[in-house]
Amino acid sequence: MKEVDDILQVRNLRTYFRTDNGLVRAVDRISLGVRRGETVGIVGESGCGKSVTALSIMNLVRPPGRIVAGQILYRSGDGSTTDIAKLHPNGRQMRSLRGNNIAMIFQEPMTALTPVYSIGDQIAEGVMLHKKLTRRQARERAIEILGKVGIPSPEKRIDDYPHQFSGGMRQRAMIAMALSCEPEVVIADEPTTALDVTIEAQILRLMKEMQSQLDLSIIMITHDLGVIAEMADRVNVMYTGKIVEHAQTDDIFYNPKHPYTLGLLQSIPTIGDKRRLTPIRGAVPNLLTLPEDVCYFAPRCPYAMEICAQAEPPMYQVGTAHQCKCWLYEGNEVVAV
């Protein structure tokens, strides 16, 4: 991974939540990069830290959570670099970046969209703020972008409210809102959740088309490996707030190294394969009760060794552009993260 090519570089990020019951290490020392024009996937079970990673990059983590360490480096088109982790969440510089340079498609559009404002008003608001357009110009831009994402008769539907849109149309409206200011990076947090497979395919195809037209960099967050196979160039597999494997998408599917990744793949049904699925035993552990400096997957791992309960494994280089955080690869080159 050449950092010079990265438009976004996350380094040793830690986002913790202090609760009455203890400290939750929701994101614990993760590093990843996103190059211009590529799609990077983050995949894992619910509760592994994917969405908190997205909120951290957008600087939207609120108390009791906060970014406690690490860097989130955004490299703009003019070559300047900004560490988002150092910006005040509500400061002028962060508000200028959020939505304008880095945008987010939220997981549930019905809760992300404001029910008392029309779809057009919600899109136009960001355009007026970031692009300094008049209300009339912003409305024209909203109609244009709604048409681009496939909303029929956008000049009429622009005045509709979220409840008047179907689930697929609301998701398209969310994509339109994210793309309205032509950002360089879009974070898609479970963009096809609760959609049927036909609408899901349409949304993924739309995102690919928009990426090609606008040269977008996309962070695709999902628990669905099918979406990852369709969209991602590179994949980060997360478990209990840590990245446990990173590789090109083909390597993740055809040459997985971490037992957790293998477990995820073995639990996916395949057309024409009549073998029984092999689910991962157990469940994601409670982040409040995790001991420090051990392998958190060990209690569920069929390959667990004595050392797994004694020390946290480092990230090993297990192939070209392929890293894995597992004691099975002790003796390989250790990758600094």
Side-chain angles (χ1 to χ4, degrees), residues 8-36:
L8 190 71
Q9 183 69 216
V10 177
R11 299 177 181 171
N12 200 31
L13 177 66
R14 304 183 189 196
T15 302
Y16 296 169
F17 288 77
R18 292 195 177 276
T19 71
D20 293 339
N21 296 319
L23 183 67
V24 175
R25 297 178 178 85
V27 174
D28 195 10
R29 295 171 291 174
I30 73 164
S31 297
L32 60 89
V34 184
R35 302 182 187 122
R36 293 185 184 275

Side-chain angles (χ1 to χ4, degrees), residues 21-283:
N21 296 319
L23 183 67
V24 175
R25 297 178 178 85
V27 174
D28 195 10
R29 295 171 291 174
I30 73 164
S31 297
L32 60 89
V34 184
R35 302 182 187 122
R36 293 185 184 275
E38 80 164 346
T39 299
V40 171
I42 302 178
V43 66
E45 294 170 286
S46 296
C48 70
K50 306 185 301 296
S51 293
V52 176
T53 299
L55 293 174
S56 299
I57 293 172
M58 294 294 293
N59 208 342
L60 288 173
V61 178
R62 295 293 182 264
R66 71 183 185 93
I67 298 171
V68 299
Q71 295 177 299
I72 305 169
L73 303 176
Y74 164 69
R75 185 175 289 111
S76 62
D78 62 9
S80 61
T81 300
T82 303
D83 186 354
I84 292 173
K86 291 183 178 178
L87 301 181
H88 190 284
N90 298 320
R92 178 179 299 177
Q93 191 174 1
M94 189 64 239
R95 285 187 283 115
S96 176
L97 283 173
R98 190 186 294 130
N100 190 32
N101 302 93
I102 305 175
M104 186 166 173
I105 303 169
F106 290 92
Q107 184 168 348
E108 177 45 64
M110 196 59 194
T111 56
L113 293 168
T114 304
V116 296
Y117 290 100
S118 71
I119 294 291
D121 284 343
Q122 294 184 62
I123 296 174
E125 181 182 15
V127 176
M128 288 189 292
L129 174 65
H130 293 297
K131 299 303 181 184
K132 308 302 180 186
L133 300 182
T134 64
R135 183 171 294 277
R136 179 187 294 270
Q137 291 170 327
R139 181 180 173 84
E140 291 173 354
R141 172 60 179 162
I143 293 172
E144 177 190 359
I145 195 68
L146 283 174
K148 282 186 176 181
V149 300
I151 299 294
S153 304
E155 66 283 350
K156 297 179 180 178
R157 302 307 302 268
I158 189 174
D159 294 317
D160 285 352
Y161 290 83
H163 72 272
Q164 295 174 285
F165 275 34
S166 67
M169 289 177 66
R170 282 195 294 268
Q171 195 61 276
R172 289 173 184 268
M174 283 294 301
I175 294 172
M177 189 179 301
L179 300 181
S180 60
C181 295
E182 300 182 346
E184 295 180 291
V185 180
V186 170
I187 302 171
D189 186 8
E190 302 276 11
T192 58
T193 294
L195 300 179
D196 64 54
V197 292
T198 303
I199 302 301
E200 175 181 291
Q202 293 174 0
I203 294 298
L204 295 181
R205 185 164 58 249
L206 169 63
M207 292 183 67
K208 280 188 171 182
E209 291 171 356
M210 294 293 99
Q211 181 177 34
S212 177
Q213 292 175 19
L214 302 174
D215 195 28
L216 289 174
S217 299
I218 297 176
I219 300 176
M220 177 65 69
I221 295 173
T222 181
H223 64 276
D224 188 337
L225 283 165
V227 172
I228 289 294
E230 177 76 15
M231 293 291 295
D233 300 300
R234 293 184 292 139
V235 184
N236 297 280
V237 181
M238 281 193 75
Y239 187 73
T240 57
K242 299 177 183 291
I243 291 175
V244 296
E245 186 166 4
H246 166 81
Q248 300 289 331
T249 302
D250 284 350
D251 282 340
I252 289 293
F253 281 88
Y254 298 110
N255 190 26
K257 296 296 186 182
H258 199 282
Y260 179 58
T261 308
L262 186 61
L264 291 176
L265 292 169
Q266 289 177 339
S267 62
I268 301 175
T270 304
I271 295 176
D273 190 344
K274 297 181 180 180
R275 291 176 297 178
R276 291 176 63 90
L277 298 180
T278 307
I280 303 173
R281 67 184 184 186

